[in-house]
């Protein structure tokens, strides 16, 4: 079992227990998915950095996808004393998993629905045509 992900620092919004619980759940979630201990540790450091950053901005009450985007911009010029990994690939992956855990716990907003693409609209129109004009049945 990998090392427990640790979190230091004070929190506003999400309290220290919620952050610690979220990090522990993230570690279990990643371990259950078969991630290596070093990966779990790196993702935990990225998540801890994200929590510290959101707490400094007072936006830790309910995490949203926009927070993740702003955090990724922050990484370019980050001078945080306890910064985690800086690789966008690693941090994006870590935050994707963190958001899944936070959504499961009700601490993150659900993902925003995206607008239908042109292809989605065309496929929907074709499905309607097949059903309404050609008599195609669902089965």
């Amino acid at each position: 079992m990998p090392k427990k992900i640790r979190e230091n620092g004070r929190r506003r919004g999400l309290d220290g227990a919620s952050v610690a619980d979220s990090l522990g759940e993230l570690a279990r979630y990643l371990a259950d998915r078969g991630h290596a201990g070093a990966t779990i540790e790196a993702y935990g450091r990225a998540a801890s950095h994200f929590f510290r950053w959101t707490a400094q901005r007072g936006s830790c009450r309910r995490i949203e996808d926009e927070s993740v985007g702003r955090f990724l911009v922050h990484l370019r010029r980050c001078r945080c004393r306890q910064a985690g990994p800086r690789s966008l690939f690693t941090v994006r992956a870590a935050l994707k998993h963190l958001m899944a855990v936070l959504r499961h716990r009700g601490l993150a907003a659900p993902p925003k629905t995206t607008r239908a693409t042109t292809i989605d609209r065309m496929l929907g129109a074709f499905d309607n045509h097949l059903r309404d004009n050609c008599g195609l049945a669902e089965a």
Side-chain angles (χ1 to χ4, degrees):
M1 183 78 176
K3 294 179 189 175
K4 182 181 175 194
I5 298 172
R6 290 181 220 95
E7 171 59 20
N8 298 322
R10 301 173 69 166
R11 298 283 166 259
R12 286 177 273 162
L14 282 174
D15 61 15
S18 295
V19 169
D21 291 346
S22 296
L23 291 171
E25 190 168 333
L26 175 64
R28 286 188 296 280
Y29 170 82
L30 294 170
D32 291 346
R33 293 175 55 92
H35 289 270
T39 302
I40 295 171
E41 184 90 15
Y43 285 11
R45 286 193 327 270
S48 294
H49 184 194
F50 175 71
F51 279 132
R52 282 190 302 275
W53 180 82
T54 55
Q56 289 171 349
R57 276 141 194 79
S59 58
C60 224
R61 292 201 184 279
R62 190 161 170 91
I63 307 295
E64 297 182 353
D65 290 329
E66 290 82 16
S67 303
V68 172
R70 286 190 299 272
F71 179 72
L72 293 173
V73 170
H74 158 77
L75 283 180
R76 292 185 200 145
R77 56 183 167 16
C78 174
R79 301 230 186 262
C80 296
R81 197 168 47 156
Q82 294 177 330
R86 300 275 171 103
S87 161
L88 286 180
F89 179 80
T90 300
V91 175
R92 274 191 192 124
L95 296 181
K96 175 186 151 216
H97 293 298
L98 176 65
M99 290 300 286
V101 167
L102 292 176
R103 285 187 178 112
H104 177 73
R105 300 186 74 218
L107 298 172
K112 298 206 176 185
T113 57
T114 57
R115 293 189 328 236
T117 64
T118 302
I119 292 173
D120 293 332
R121 286 191 298 272
M122 289 174 66
L123 288 173
F126 186 63
D127 286 345
N128 290 338
H129 168 74
L130 291 175
R131 184 185 64 244
D132 298 340
N133 299 332
C134 299
L136 184 67
E138 291 289 327

